[in-house]
Amino acid sequence: MNREQRYLRWAAVFGLAPLPLLVLPLSLGKFPYPADNADGQEKLNYILPHHRGEVGAICWLVLTVALMMFSILLAFAYITRARRVTASGVILIASASAFAAMNLIVSAAYAAVPLMSRGNPAFGNGPADYTLVTFGWVTSNLTYVMSAPMMGMMWAAIAVANRTHPLLPRMLGGWCAVLIAVNATLWLASIFVYTGNWSPASSLQVAAQMGPILVWTTTVSVFLLTRGVPKESAETRSVADI
C-alpha cells in the first residue's frame, strides 16, 4: 500500500463516523428539537434529561474532528497524486481547519448550558436564567451556520481537485460535490429566519444542510474501502492541476 492509498484508507475510516454521530444524540430525545425561538424552559427540558446536552456536545465535537480529518487526508491524497502542492489542496486543508475551529465553539457553547444548570441547582428558576439559556443556545446555532462558507469551500475544492486528478468517481467528486458546496453555502441565508425549525441550526435546517454532506461522506468512504482507488491515466496526467 503506497502513501496515497494510506491517506485514502484512513480518510474513509474517518468518513464513516460523522453520520452515526449525528443520529445518536438526535435519537435520545424528541425530533424536531426546540427551535431558536423556543422558551428557555423548553430548551432546558430537552437538554438536561439523559445527559442529552453532554452527549450532544461530545458527538458534535467528534463529528467535527472526523470531518476535518477526512478532508485533510483527502487533500493529502490529491496533493500526492498531483506530485506537488496544489491550490485546491491548500484550500481544502485551510477550510476544513477553519470549519473545525468554529464548530469547537459550537460544542463548547452547547455544553455550557447543562454545565451551568447542573453546577448550580438554583439555576433555571427565573426569566433571567431562561434568557441566558436561549443566548447560549442561539450563539451555538449561529456559530454553526456561520461555518457554512467553510463547508462550501471544502466541497468546491474537492470538485476542483477531482476534475484533474480523479480519486473519486466523476459523479461523486464532480457535480455531486458542486451541488453540496452550493447547498451548504446558501444555508447561510437562514440567519434571516427568526422562528421555527428552519431557523439557524434548528432541526430541518441542519437536516437540509448537513444531511447531504454526511450521506456523501459515507458513500465516498464505502466506495474507497470496497472499490479502491482508480489509477491515474495518461490523459489525466497531462491536464494542468489547479
Side-chain angles (χ1 to χ4, degrees), residues 187-236:
W187 279 109
L188 182 62
S190 67
I191 62 174
F192 297 106
V193 181
Y194 307 117
T195 62
N197 293 320
W198 293 103
S199 57
S202 292
S203 52
L204 297 182
Q205 190 275 321
V206 170
Q209 183 181 38
M210 188 60 76
I213 288 175
L214 300 189
V215 170
W216 184 93
T217 304
T218 302
T219 303
V220 166
S221 297
V222 171
F223 169 81
L224 290 174
L225 290 173
T226 57
R227 298 290 299 276
V229 183
K231 293 184 178 179
E232 187 178 28
S233 66
E235 179 184 0
T236 299

CSV table of all heavy atoms in Angstrom, one decimal, residues 187-236:
chain,number,residue,atom,x,y,z
A,187,TRP,N,-27.2,28.0,2.8
A,187,TRP,CA,-27.9,28.0,4.0
A,187,TRP,C,-27.5,29.0,5.0
A,187,TRP,O,-28.0,29.2,6.1
A,187,TRP,CB,-27.8,26.6,4.7
A,187,TRP,CG,-28.8,25.7,4.1
A,187,TRP,CD1,-28.6,24.6,3.2
A,187,TRP,CD2,-30.3,25.7,4.2
A,187,TRP,NE1,-29.8,24.0,2.9
A,187,TRP,CE2,-30.8,24.7,3.5
A,187,TRP,CE3,-31.1,26.6,5.0
A,187,TRP,CZ2,-32.2,24.5,3.4
A,187,TRP,CZ3,-32.5,26.4,4.9
A,187,TRP,CH2,-33.0,25.3,4.1
A,188,LEU,N,-26.4,29.8,4.6
A,188,LEU,CA,-26.1,30.9,5.5
A,188,LEU,C,-27.2,31.9,5.5
A,188,LEU,O,-27.4,32.7,6.5
A,188,LEU,CB,-24.8,31.6,4.9
A,188,LEU,CG,-24.3,32.8,5.6
A,188,LEU,CD1,-23.8,32.5,7.0
A,188,LEU,CD2,-23.1,33.5,4.8
A,189,ALA,N,-28.1,31.9,4.5
A,189,ALA,CA,-29.2,32.8,4.5
A,189,ALA,C,-30.3,32.5,5.6
A,189,ALA,O,-31.2,33.3,5.8
A,189,ALA,CB,-29.9,32.7,3.1
A,190,SER,N,-30.1,31.3,6.3
A,190,SER,CA,-31.1,31.0,7.3
A,190,SER,C,-31.0,32.0,8.5
A,190,SER,O,-31.8,32.0,9.4
A,190,SER,CB,-30.8,29.6,7.9
A,190,SER,OG,-29.6,29.5,8.5
A,191,ILE,N,-29.9,32.8,8.6
A,191,ILE,CA,-29.8,33.8,9.6
A,191,ILE,C,-31.0,34.8,9.5
A,191,ILE,O,-31.2,35.6,10.5
A,191,ILE,CB,-28.5,34.6,9.6
A,191,ILE,CG1,-28.3,35.4,8.3
A,191,ILE,CG2,-27.3,33.6,9.9
A,191,ILE,CD1,-27.0,36.2,8.3
A,192,PHE,N,-31.7,34.9,8.4
A,192,PHE,CA,-32.8,35.8,8.2
A,192,PHE,C,-34.1,35.1,8.6
A,192,PHE,O,-35.2,35.7,8.5
A,192,PHE,CB,-32.9,36.3,6.8
A,192,PHE,CG,-31.7,37.1,6.4
A,192,PHE,CD1,-30.8,36.6,5.5
A,192,PHE,CD2,-31.5,38.4,6.9
A,192,PHE,CE1,-29.7,37.4,5.2
A,192,PHE,CE2,-30.5,39.2,6.5
A,192,PHE,CZ,-29.5,38.6,5.6
A,193,VAL,N,-34.0,33.8,9.1
A,193,VAL,CA,-35.2,33.1,9.5
A,193,VAL,C,-35.2,33.1,11.0
A,193,VAL,O,-34.3,32.5,11.6
A,193,VAL,CB,-35.2,31.7,9.0
A,193,VAL,CG1,-36.5,30.9,9.5
A,193,VAL,CG2,-35.2,31.7,7.5
A,194,TYR,N,-36.1,33.7,11.7
A,194,TYR,CA,-36.0,34.0,13.1
A,194,TYR,C,-36.8,33.0,14.0
A,194,TYR,O,-36.5,32.9,15.2
A,194,TYR,CB,-36.5,35.4,13.4
A,194,TYR,CG,-35.8,36.5,12.6
A,194,TYR,CD1,-36.5,37.3,11.7
A,194,TYR,CD2,-34.4,36.7,12.7
A,194,TYR,CE1,-35.9,38.2,10.9
A,194,TYR,CE2,-33.8,37.6,11.9
A,194,TYR,CZ,-34.5,38.4,11.0
A,194,TYR,OH,-33.9,39.3,10.2
A,195,THR,N,-37.7,32.3,13.4
A,195,THR,CA,-38.5,31.4,14.2
A,195,THR,C,-38.7,30.0,13.5
A,195,THR,O,-38.5,30.0,12.2
A,195,THR,CB,-39.9,31.9,14.5
A,195,THR,OG1,-40.6,32.1,13.2
A,195,THR,CG2,-39.8,33.3,15.2
A,196,GLY,N,-39.0,29.0,14.2
A,196,GLY,CA,-39.4,27.7,13.6
A,196,GLY,C,-38.2,26.8,13.3
A,196,GLY,O,-37.0,27.1,13.6
A,197,ASN,N,-38.5,25.7,12.7
A,197,ASN,CA,-37.5,24.6,12.5
A,197,ASN,C,-36.5,24.9,11.3
A,197,ASN,O,-35.7,24.0,11.1
A,197,ASN,CB,-38.2,23.3,12.3
A,197,ASN,CG,-38.9,22.8,13.6
A,197,ASN,OD1,-38.3,23.0,14.7
A,197,ASN,ND2,-40.1,22.3,13.5
A,198,TRP,N,-36.7,26.0,10.6
A,198,TRP,CA,-35.8,26.4,9.5
A,198,TRP,C,-34.9,27.5,10.0
A,198,TRP,O,-34.0,27.9,9.2
A,198,TRP,CB,-36.6,26.8,8.3
A,198,TRP,CG,-37.3,25.7,7.6
A,198,TRP,CD1,-38.6,25.4,7.7
A,198,TRP,CD2,-36.8,24.6,6.8
A,198,TRP,NE1,-39.0,24.3,7.0
A,198,TRP,CE2,-37.8,23.8,6.4
A,198,TRP,CE3,-35.5,24.3,6.4
A,198,TRP,CZ2,-37.6,22.6,5.6
A,198,TRP,CZ3,-35.3,23.2,5.6
A,198,TRP,CH2,-36.4,22.4,5.2
A,199,SER,N,-35.0,27.9,11.2
A,199,SER,CA,-34.1,28.9,11.7
A,199,SER,C,-32.7,28.3,11.9
A,199,SER,O,-32.5,27.1,11.9
A,199,SER,CB,-34.6,29.5,13.0
A,199,SER,OG,-34.8,28.5,14.0
A,200,PRO,N,-31.6,29.2,12.2
A,200,PRO,CA,-30.3,28.7,12.2
A,200,PRO,C,-30.1,27.5,13.1
A,200,PRO,O,-30.4,27.5,14.3
A,200,PRO,CB,-29.5,29.9,12.7
A,200,PRO,CG,-30.2,31.0,12.2
A,200,PRO,CD,-31.7,30.6,12.3
A,201,ALA,N,-29.5,26.4,12.5
A,201,ALA,CA,-29.2,25.1,13.2
A,201,ALA,C,-30.4,24.5,13.9
A,201,ALA,O,-30.2,23.6,14.8
A,201,ALA,CB,-28.1,25.4,14.3
A,202,SER,N,-31.6,24.9,13.6
A,202,SER,CA,-32.7,24.1,14.0
A,202,SER,C,-32.8,22.9,13.2
A,202,SER,O,-32.1,22.7,12.2
A,202,SER,CB,-34.0,25.0,14.0
A,202,SER,OG,-33.9,26.0,14.9
A,203,SER,N,-33.8,22.0,13.6
A,203,SER,CA,-33.7,20.6,13.1
A,203,SER,C,-33.8,20.5,11.6
A,203,SER,O,-32.9,19.8,11.0
A,203,SER,CB,-34.9,19.8,13.8
A,203,SER,OG,-36.1,20.5,13.6
A,204,LEU,N,-34.7,21.1,10.9
A,204,LEU,CA,-34.9,21.0,9.5
A,204,LEU,C,-33.7,21.6,8.7
A,204,LEU,O,-33.3,21.2,7.7
A,204,LEU,CB,-36.2,21.5,9.0
A,204,LEU,CG,-37.4,20.8,9.6
A,204,LEU,CD1,-38.7,21.4,9.0
A,204,LEU,CD2,-37.4,19.3,9.3
A,205,GLN,N,-33.2,22.8,9.3
A,205,GLN,CA,-32.1,23.4,8.6
A,205,GLN,C,-30.8,22.6,8.7
A,205,GLN,O,-30.1,22.4,7.7
A,205,GLN,CB,-31.8,24.8,9.3
A,205,GLN,CG,-30.9,25.7,8.6
A,205,GLN,CD,-29.4,25.4,8.9
A,205,GLN,OE1,-29.1,25.1,10.0
A,205,GLN,NE2,-28.6,25.5,7.9
A,206,VAL,N,-30.6,21.9,9.8
A,206,VAL,CA,-29.4,21.1,9.9
A,206,VAL,C,-29.6,19.9,9.0
A,206,VAL,O,-28.6,19.4,8.3
A,206,VAL,CB,-29.2,20.6,11.4
A,206,VAL,CG1,-28.1,19.5,11.4
A,206,VAL,CG2,-28.8,21.8,12.2
A,207,ALA,N,-30.8,19.3,9.0
A,207,ALA,CA,-31.0,18.1,8.1
A,207,ALA,C,-30.8,18.5,6.6
A,207,ALA,O,-30.2,17.7,5.9
A,207,ALA,CB,-32.4,17.6,8.3
A,208,ALA,N,-31.2,19.7,6.2
A,208,ALA,CA,-31.1,20.0,4.8
A,208,ALA,C,-29.7,20.4,4.4
A,208,ALA,O,-29.3,20.2,3.3
A,208,ALA,CB,-32.0,21.2,4.5
A,209,GLN,N,-28.9,20.9,5.4
A,209,GLN,CA,-27.6,21.3,5.1
A,209,GLN,C,-26.6,20.2,5.3
A,209,GLN,O,-25.7,19.9,4.5
A,209,GLN,CB,-27.2,22.6,5.9
A,209,GLN,CG,-25.8,23.1,5.6
A,209,GLN,CD,-25.4,24.3,6.5
A,209,GLN,OE1,-25.8,24.4,7.6
A,209,GLN,NE2,-24.8,25.3,5.9
A,210,MET,N,-26.6,19.6,6.5
A,210,MET,CA,-25.6,18.7,6.9
A,210,MET,C,-25.9,17.3,6.4
A,210,MET,O,-25.0,16.5,6.1
A,210,MET,CB,-25.5,18.6,8.4
A,210,MET,CG,-24.3,17.8,8.9
A,210,MET,SD,-22.7,18.3,8.3
A,210,MET,CE,-22.4,19.7,9.4
A,211,GLY,N,-27.2,17.0,6.2
A,211,GLY,CA,-27.6,15.6,5.7
A,211,GLY,C,-26.9,15.2,4.4
A,211,GLY,O,-26.3,14.2,4.4
A,212,PRO,N,-27.0,16.0,3.3
A,212,PRO,CA,-26.3,15.7,2.1
A,212,PRO,C,-24.8,15.5,2.3
A,212,PRO,O,-24.2,14.6,1.6
A,212,PRO,CB,-26.6,16.8,1.1
A,212,PRO,CG,-27.9,17.4,1.7
A,212,PRO,CD,-27.8,17.3,3.2
A,213,ILE,N,-24.2,16.3,3.1
A,213,ILE,CA,-22.8,16.2,3.3
A,213,ILE,C,-22.4,14.9,3.9
A,213,ILE,O,-21.5,14.2,3.5
A,213,ILE,CB,-22.3,17.4,4.3
A,213,ILE,CG1,-22.3,18.7,3.5
A,213,ILE,CG2,-20.9,17.1,4.8
A,213,ILE,CD1,-22.0,19.9,4.4
A,214,LEU,N,-23.2,14.5,5.0
A,214,LEU,CA,-22.8,13.2,5.7
A,214,LEU,C,-23.2,12.0,4.8
A,214,LEU,O,-22.5,11.0,4.9
A,214,LEU,CB,-23.6,13.2,7.0
A,214,LEU,CG,-23.2,14.3,8.0
A,214,LEU,CD1,-23.8,14.1,9.3
A,214,LEU,CD2,-21.7,14.5,8.1
A,215,VAL,N,-24.3,12.1,4.0
A,215,VAL,CA,-24.6,10.9,3.1
A,215,VAL,C,-23.5,10.8,2.1
A,215,VAL,O,-23.0,9.7,1.8
A,215,VAL,CB,-25.9,11.1,2.5
A,215,VAL,CG1,-26.2,10.1,1.4
A,215,VAL,CG2,-27.1,11.0,3.5
A,216,TRP,N,-23.0,11.9,1.5
A,216,TRP,CA,-21.9,11.9,0.5
A,216,TRP,C,-20.7,11.4,1.2
A,216,TRP,O,-20.0,10.5,0.6
A,216,TRP,CB,-21.7,13.3,0.0
A,216,TRP,CG,-20.7,13.5,-1.0
A,216,TRP,CD1,-20.9,13.5,-2.4
A,216,TRP,CD2,-19.2,13.6,-0.9
A,216,TRP,NE1,-19.7,13.6,-3.1
A,216,TRP,CE2,-18.7,13.7,-2.2
A,216,TRP,CE3,-18.4,13.7,0.2
A,216,TRP,CZ2,-17.3,13.9,-2.4
A,216,TRP,CZ3,-17.0,13.9,0.0
A,216,TRP,CH2,-16.5,14.0,-1.3
A,217,THR,N,-20.3,11.8,2.4
A,217,THR,CA,-19.1,11.4,3.0
A,217,THR,C,-19.1,9.9,3.3
A,217,THR,O,-18.1,9.1,3.1
A,217,THR,CB,-18.9,12.1,4.3
A,217,THR,OG1,-18.9,13.5,4.1
A,217,THR,CG2,-17.6,11.7,5.0
A,218,THR,N,-20.3,9.4,3.7
A,218,THR,CA,-20.4,7.9,4.0
A,218,THR,C,-20.3,7.1,2.7
A,218,THR,O,-19.6,6.1,2.6
A,218,THR,CB,-21.8,7.6,4.6
A,218,THR,OG1,-21.9,8.4,5.9
A,218,THR,CG2,-21.9,6.2,5.0
A,219,THR,N,-21.0,7.6,1.6
A,219,THR,CA,-20.9,6.9,0.3
A,219,THR,C,-19.5,6.9,-0.2
A,219,THR,O,-19.0,5.8,-0.7
A,219,THR,CB,-21.8,7.7,-0.7
A,219,THR,OG1,-23.1,7.7,-0.2
A,219,THR,CG2,-21.8,6.9,-2.0
A,220,VAL,N,-18.8,8.0,-0.1
A,220,VAL,CA,-17.4,8.0,-0.6
A,220,VAL,C,-16.5,7.1,0.2
A,220,VAL,O,-15.6,6.4,-0.3
A,220,VAL,CB,-16.8,9.5,-0.5
A,220,VAL,CG1,-15.3,9.5,-0.6
A,220,VAL,CG2,-17.4,10.3,-1.6
A,221,SER,N,-16.7,7.0,1.5
A,221,SER,CA,-15.9,6.2,2.4
A,221,SER,C,-16.2,4.7,2.1
A,221,SER,O,-15.2,3.9,2.0
A,221,SER,CB,-16.3,6.4,3.9
A,221,SER,OG,-15.9,7.8,4.2
A,222,VAL,N,-17.4,4.3,1.9
A,222,VAL,CA,-17.7,2.9,1.5
A,222,VAL,C,-17.1,2.6,0.1
A,222,VAL,O,-16.5,1.5,0.0
A,222,VAL,CB,-19.3,2.7,1.4
A,222,VAL,CG1,-19.6,1.4,0.8
A,222,VAL,CG2,-19.9,2.9,2.8
A,223,PHE,N,-17.2,3.5,-0.8
A,223,PHE,CA,-16.5,3.3,-2.1
A,223,PHE,C,-15.0,3.1,-2.0
A,223,PHE,O,-14.5,2.1,-2.6
A,223,PHE,CB,-16.8,4.5,-3.0
A,223,PHE,CG,-16.0,4.5,-4.3
A,223,PHE,CD1,-16.4,3.7,-5.4
A,223,PHE,CD2,-14.8,5.2,-4.4
A,223,PHE,CE1,-15.6,3.6,-6.5
A,223,PHE,CE2,-14.1,5.1,-5.6
A,223,PHE,CZ,-14.5,4.4,-6.6
A,224,LEU,N,-14.4,3.9,-1.2
A,224,LEU,CA,-12.9,3.8,-1.1
A,224,LEU,C,-12.5,2.5,-0.4
A,224,LEU,O,-11.5,1.9,-0.7
A,224,LEU,CB,-12.4,5.0,-0.3
A,224,LEU,CG,-12.4,6.4,-1.0
A,224,LEU,CD1,-12.0,7.5,-0.1
A,224,LEU,CD2,-11.6,6.3,-2.3
A,225,LEU,N,-13.3,2.1,0.6
A,225,LEU,CA,-13.0,0.8,1.3
A,225,LEU,C,-13.3,-0.4,0.5
A,225,LEU,O,-12.7,-1.5,0.7
A,225,LEU,CB,-13.7,0.8,2.6
A,225,LEU,CG,-13.3,1.8,3.7
A,225,LEU,CD1,-14.2,1.8,4.9
A,225,LEU,CD2,-11.8,1.5,4.1
A,226,THR,N,-14.3,-0.3,-0.4
A,226,THR,CA,-14.7,-1.6,-1.1
A,226,THR,C,-14.2,-1.6,-2.5
A,226,THR,O,-13.9,-2.7,-3.0
A,226,THR,CB,-16.2,-1.6,-1.1
A,226,THR,OG1,-16.8,-0.5,-1.8
A,226,THR,CG2,-16.8,-1.8,0.3
A,227,ARG,N,-14.1,-0.5,-3.2
A,227,ARG,CA,-13.7,-0.5,-4.6
A,227,ARG,C,-12.2,-0.1,-4.8
A,227,ARG,O,-11.7,-0.3,-5.9
A,227,ARG,CB,-14.6,0.5,-5.4
A,227,ARG,CG,-16.1,0.1,-5.4
A,227,ARG,CD,-16.3,-1.1,-6.2
A,227,ARG,NE,-16.0,-0.9,-7.6
A,227,ARG,CZ,-16.8,-0.4,-8.5
A,227,ARG,NH1,-18.0,0.0,-8.1
A,227,ARG,NH2,-16.4,-0.2,-9.7
A,228,GLY,N,-11.6,0.6,-3.9
A,228,GLY,CA,-10.3,1.1,-4.0
A,228,GLY,C,-10.1,2.4,-4.8
A,228,GLY,O,-11.1,3.1,-5.1
A,229,VAL,N,-8.9,2.7,-5.2
A,229,VAL,CA,-8.6,4.0,-5.8
A,229,VAL,C,-8.4,3.8,-7.3
A,229,VAL,O,-7.6,2.9,-7.7
A,229,VAL,CB,-7.3,4.6,-5.2
A,229,VAL,CG1,-7.0,5.9,-5.8
A,229,VAL,CG2,-7.5,4.7,-3.7
A,230,PRO,N,-9.0,4.6,-8.2
A,230,PRO,CA,-8.8,4.4,-9.6
A,230,PRO,C,-7.3,4.9,-10.0
A,230,PRO,O,-6.8,5.8,-9.4
A,230,PRO,CB,-9.8,5.4,-10.2
A,230,PRO,CG,-10.1,6.4,-9.2
A,230,PRO,CD,-10.0,5.6,-7.9
A,231,LYS,N,-6.8,4.2,-11.0
A,231,LYS,CA,-5.4,4.5,-11.4
A,231,LYS,C,-5.5,5.8,-12.3
A,231,LYS,O,-6.4,6.0,-13.0
A,231,LYS,CB,-4.8,3.4,-12.2
A,231,LYS,CG,-4.5,2.1,-11.3
A,231,LYS,CD,-3.8,1.0,-12.1
A,231,LYS,CE,-3.5,-0.2,-11.2
A,231,LYS,NZ,-2.9,-1.2,-12.0
A,232,GLU,N,-4.4,6.5,-12.2
A,232,GLU,CA,-4.3,7.8,-13.0
A,232,GLU,C,-4.0,7.4,-14.4
A,232,GLU,O,-3.0,6.6,-14.7
A,232,GLU,CB,-3.2,8.7,-12.4
A,232,GLU,CG,-3.2,10.0,-13.0
A,232,GLU,CD,-2.1,10.9,-12.3
A,232,GLU,OE1,-1.1,10.3,-11.8
A,232,GLU,OE2,-2.3,12.1,-12.3
A,233,SER,N,-4.7,8.0,-15.3
A,233,SER,CA,-4.5,7.8,-16.8
A,233,SER,C,-3.5,8.8,-17.3
A,233,SER,O,-3.2,9.8,-16.7
A,233,SER,CB,-5.8,7.9,-17.5
A,233,SER,OG,-6.2,9.2,-17.5
A,234,ALA,N,-2.9,8.4,-18.5
A,234,ALA,CA,-2.0,9.4,-19.2
A,234,ALA,C,-2.7,10.7,-19.5
A,234,ALA,O,-2.1,11.8,-19.4
A,234,ALA,CB,-1.5,8.7,-20.4
A,235,GLU,N,-4.0,10.6,-19.8
A,235,GLU,CA,-4.7,11.8,-20.1
A,235,GLU,C,-4.9,12.7,-18.9
A,235,GLU,O,-4.7,13.9,-19.0
A,235,GLU,CB,-6.1,11.4,-20.7
A,235,GLU,CG,-7.0,12.6,-21.0
A,235,GLU,CD,-8.4,12.2,-21.4
A,235,GLU,OE1,-8.7,11.0,-21.4
A,235,GLU,OE2,-9.2,13.2,-21.7
A,236,THR,N,-5.1,12.1,-17.8
A,236,THR,CA,-5.3,12.9,-16.5
A,236,THR,C,-4.0,13.5,-16.2
A,236,THR,O,-3.9,14.7,-15.7
A,236,THR,CB,-5.7,11.9,-15.4
A,236,THR,OG1,-7.0,11.4,-15.7
A,236,THR,CG2,-5.8,12.7,-14.1
